[in-house]
Structures are given as C-alpha cells and as structure tokens.
Amino acid sequence: MALQGPIPVSFDMVFPHGCYLVGEVEAVKDFDASTNGRFVQARDKQSGELIWQIAVMDADPQVKPAQKTVAVKIIAPVQPVPPAPVAGLPFTPVEFDGVTVTPYVNGNGRLAYSIRVREMRPPRTGGAKSGHAGGKEAAA
C-alpha cells in the first residue's frame, strides 16, 4: 500500500468553517517514559521534535455539540505561541499549516483521527476564503 503514516491534508479540508482556540498550549506526556513524579514530554517519531497540544472548537454548524472541541497536536522544537485574541470575539480564531491526519480505531471500535500540525498562526485575511474566520480541526 502506497499510503503509510500520517496523511497530508489542507487546513480547509479539516476545518472548512474555521476553528477557535479554547485551551492553552500544553506539553503532551510520554506515558512510556514518564514515571511517578517525573514528567517526560512526548516526541514525534519521525522528526524527534517535541509534541504540544491545544484544544480547538470547530466552527462547522453541522458538527454535533459533543464533537465540537478537538485536540490538535503541534510538532515544534519550542512551545508554540497562540495568535493574539481578537477584540469583540469570545474565542481566538486560528489556522494551522503542515496539517496531517492519522486514522485509527478508538476504544469504542469507531474510526477516529489524530490531527497533527507544524505551525499555528492567525487566520489569513482577504483571501479566497470570504467569511472564513478560522480553521476546522479534527479529533486527536
């Protein structure tokens, strides 16, 4: 099979209606290397860079409320800095670059997706995405 590992996708494929930050950037724990009282941060298997995570809310009106918030994993050597809040909005719009998805079967036997990105940034303005205030995210 030609497809192996994470599948590259565009931000717009994952979040066609945009997404908003609803959490803080956090280090992802390496459960195998961490021990009682000793936290070890997870590293990406391909690049060796640190893995961070942030919760985002999908702006797609068709997504069920229980599925609106998803985790996005960010692969970066240092802790990423979220975009600045936007005056008048309750949540900060965000977009991601270098997006990949990895399908897997979760504990309930359902298909789920892990979303990894290389960069977090403010939404682009004035492009072909009129009315687009952010980016969509999938469950991680």
Side-chain angles (χ1 to χ4, degrees):
M1 176 186 234
L3 275 178
Q4 303 266 331
I7 302 165
V9 296
S10 71
F11 173 79
D12 293 331
M13 290 173 72
V14 179
F15 298 106
H17 296 276
C19 68
Y20 297 88
L21 300 178
V22 293
E24 302 294 324
V25 175
E26 300 175 341
V28 173
K29 182 178 185 177
D30 181 332
F31 288 97
D32 294 330
S34 296
T35 58
N36 282 346
R38 184 173 163 262
F39 176 88
V40 176
Q41 188 169 356
R43 291 189 174 268
D44 180 65
K45 288 178 177 72
Q46 280 85 29
S47 69
E49 290 185 337
L50 297 170
I51 303 176
W52 309 88
Q53 182 170 286
I54 191 157
V56 299
M57 180 177 60
D58 189 340
D60 186 342
Q62 300 298 315
V63 173
K64 295 177 184 176
Q67 298 172 333
K68 277 210 171 278
T69 301
V70 294
V72 172
K73 292 186 176 149
I74 306 168
I75 310 305
V78 297
Q79 184 170 351
V81 176
V86 176
L89 293 179
F91 301 107
T92 303
V94 66
E95 289 186 0
F96 299 103
D97 290 320
V99 182
T100 64
V101 295
T102 303
Y104 66 95
V105 177
N106 68 15
N108 298 327
R110 292 192 156 160
L111 182 62
Y113 298 91
S114 174
I115 298 173
R116 290 184 179 222
V117 304
R118 298 295 301 179
E119 184 180 333
M120 170 174 53
R121 61 175 168 74
R124 292 191 174 106
T125 58
K129 301 186 268 180
S130 69
H132 184 219
K136 173 182 172 181
E137 191 288 321

